[in-house]
Amino acid sequence: MTNSTDTDLATPVLDAFGSTFGSGTDARVALAPGRVNLIGDHTDYNDGFVLPMAIDRFVTIAFRPRRDRRLRALATAFDEVREANLDRLDGARAAGWMSYVAGMAWAMQSKGMTLRGLDLAIHSTVPVAAGLSSSAALELASARALASAASLPWDPVRMARLGQLAENEFVGMKCGIMDQYAVSCAEADAALLLDCRSLESRPVPIPAGAAVVVMDTGKARSLVGSAYNERRASCEAAVRVLAGSAPAVRALRDVDRAQLDRAADRLDETAYRRAAHVVDENWRPVHMAEALADGDLDRAGRIMNDSHESLRDLYEVSSRELDLVTTLARAHPACFGARMTGAGFGGCAVALVRADAAPAFVEDVGRQYNEAADARGTLYVCRPVAGARVLE
Ligand code: GLA
């Protein structure tokens, strides 16, 4: 390992590998970070913009090739070993956490990549069902391990797309591209402004005076699969109506608020509200990236607050706890702005705060939330890190 942080990341998973599969000295370690989305929620599957940041929470995988075609994986979180066979991956479709590993192998093989069997130990510090993309981190860390063991070249954008394919077609969650892209392509010290139509992105450095705080409400996301797919369906219904009179409209990305309002009487009330969120939210990542580049943290914070209100009132994906923690956060003098992050329905919110006052913010808002909420919240400052890699 080239540095002590990498050694710290590798040690627990190598130890777990050694105790399950025998000496870990010839095992290698791949990792992928979780992500927090600074802004742009429910815009990725509408061809819009997003501004996620990979965070210093990781899925680490120790791996070693096998002589046969089996994937034998230990998940330390469950203290459980599961297996899949590279020639019969369909059998692992409903295999819980293993379906993400097998799904990634399935997606890579579906594009003609030749893989090898592996022993794998998986360890994670990305909380599950919190909206921090633990699934995308597991997919991309698995991809890194599979690609490295088979000596395949690494193309981060292509692998992000294969991660999305695995999730959409193998696991059955119709997510957009944001999570896999962030987890695969992020650069250190910056968020990533991604155009989900062109799949082009650029790093947006976090100004030195600002800190990003994740605020985990302690209430796991619920009903997310079905409600998420319903929201997608409403967006698609709105596009069908709008395209009827303007054939150039391919996605809500192509619509502005005036155009949507002119079509309001042709849309049902729910589809109108869902679309209204998306057409406003689509451009917030671009505006927030400008504000961060200008060092205008007050403006960046106001854009985040607007996003939360829109997700709460128009898209209806917030929760009582997410509303509570963002309200408490905004009342704190160190806070520029706060919003729920990710799919919603529970999980985490994110706040942009003054860097020098971040520890006080974490302590004060954490205490106030835990006094008022019927759940145990956890707040922490996150550092922006680079995407999936294999440790040297
Ligand atoms: C989940 C999905 C993403 C995105 C967000 C909402 O995290 O995986 O593709 O749609 O929800 O922005």
Side-chain angles (χ1 to χ4, degrees):
M1 301 291 139
T2 45
N3 64 51
S4 61
T5 322
D6 282 0
T7 307
D8 291 346
L9 283 168
T11 303
V13 75
L14 283 172
D15 287 350
F17 186 95
S19 24
T20 305
F21 300 112
S23 159
T25 49
D26 55 347
R28 303 193 64 199
V29 177
L31 62 76
R35 68 98 189 92
V36 64
N37 188 24
L38 296 183
I39 203 152
D41 270 315
H42 296 279
T43 51
D44 61 350
Y45 53 82
N46 289 295
D47 276 5
F49 290 90
V50 291
L51 187 63
M53 175 182 117
I55 59 173
D56 49 346
R57 296 278 171 137
F58 301 93
V59 169
T60 40
I61 300 187
F63 62 97
R64 183 170 59 201
R66 296 174 54 89
R67 290 181 199 286
D68 59 18
R69 303 273 296 154
R70 285 151 73 198
L71 297 174
R72 276 187 75 210
L74 160 80
T76 61
F78 306 102
D79 195 19
E80 177 181 82
V81 176
R82 292 195 174 205
E83 285 204 21
N85 187 308
L86 286 170
D87 297 324
R88 292 187 292 277
L89 287 170
D90 274 340
R93 274 183 192 268
W97 56 269
M98 186 64 182
S99 63
Y100 297 93
V101 182
M104 200 64 227
W106 169 86
M108 291 167 80
Q109 291 191 149
S110 78
K111 301 295 170 197
M113 298 179 190
T114 304
L115 303 179
R116 299 179 67 178
L118 293 178
D119 285 334
L120 312 133
I122 303 167
H123 182 69
S124 177
T125 55
V126 186
V128 174
L132 300 178
S133 292
S134 58
S135 337
L138 178 52
E139 287 153 9
L140 270 299
S142 301
R144 268 294 198 187
L146 289 161
S148 166
S151 304
L152 297 171
W154 183 259
D155 172 342
V157 177
R158 180 163 195 225
M159 289 299 176
R161 297 181 72 158
L162 292 182
Q164 185 194 15
L165 180 69
E167 185 118 1
N168 288 175
E169 303 300 330
F170 196 87
V171 178
M173 165 75 181
K174 299 289 176 198
C175 64
I177 188 70
M178 167 168 70
D179 303 345
Q180 289 78 10
Y181 195 104
V183 161
S184 186
C185 308
E187 294 182 26
D189 303 322
L192 213 54
L193 178 64
L194 166 64
D195 179 337
C196 297
R197 172 167 278 170
S198 67
L199 291 191
E200 277 161 17
S201 65
R202 68 176 168 82
V204 176
I206 305 296
V212 172
V213 176
V214 165
M215 308 188 289
D216 190 335
T217 61
K219 280 259 165 132
R221 292 178 321 191
S222 56
L223 286 179
V224 73
S226 54
Y228 185 93
N229 291 344
E230 260 169 50
R231 298 298 184 285
R232 273 195 87 139
S234 291
C235 294
E236 284 156 16
V239 168
R240 278 195 297 277
V241 171
L242 289 154
S245 53
V249 171
R250 285 194 284 138
L252 288 176
R253 156 73 173 271
D254 303 313
V255 177
D256 64 23
R257 189 60 184 262
Q259 196 178 355
L260 177 67
D261 288 347
R262 284 197 299 277
D265 54 357
R266 287 183 282 134
L267 290 166
D268 78 58
E269 148 72 15
T270 305
Y272 171 78
R273 276 188 291 126
R274 305 295 187 246
H277 162 72
V278 173
V279 301
D280 291 348
E281 183 84 354
N282 263 339
W283 296 94
R284 287 193 180 111
V286 176
H287 299 147
M288 182 158 166
E290 280 163 15
L292 290 174
D294 293 347
D296 189 344
L297 297 172
D298 288 319
R299 176 164 180 243
R302 282 195 301 274
I303 301 171
M304 291 174 81
N305 295 344
D306 291 346
S307 165
H308 183 82
E309 270 142 43
S310 178
L311 286 156
R312 182 191 64 201
D313 300 338
L314 298 173
Y315 221 62
E316 297 178 286
V317 291
S318 189
S319 69
R320 209 174 37 187
E321 290 78 17
L322 288 166
D323 292 341
L324 172 64
V325 81
T326 48
T327 303
L328 293 170
R330 284 179 207 163
H332 195 281
C335 185
F336 299 109
R339 59 185 288 281
M340 55 151 277
T341 182
F345 310 103
C348 290
V350 59
L352 189 70
V353 307
R354 258 185 27 229
D356 58 354
F361 173 90
V362 163
E363 171 148 354
D364 297 345
V365 177
R367 190 186 54 249
Q368 291 162 1
Y369 176 79
N370 285 332
E371 276 165 15
D374 169 21
R376 178 118 204 112
T378 324
L379 277 69
Y380 43 91
V381 175
C382 282
R383 213 165 41 80
V385 300
R389 63 198 170 97
V390 178
L391 301 186
E392 294 306 328

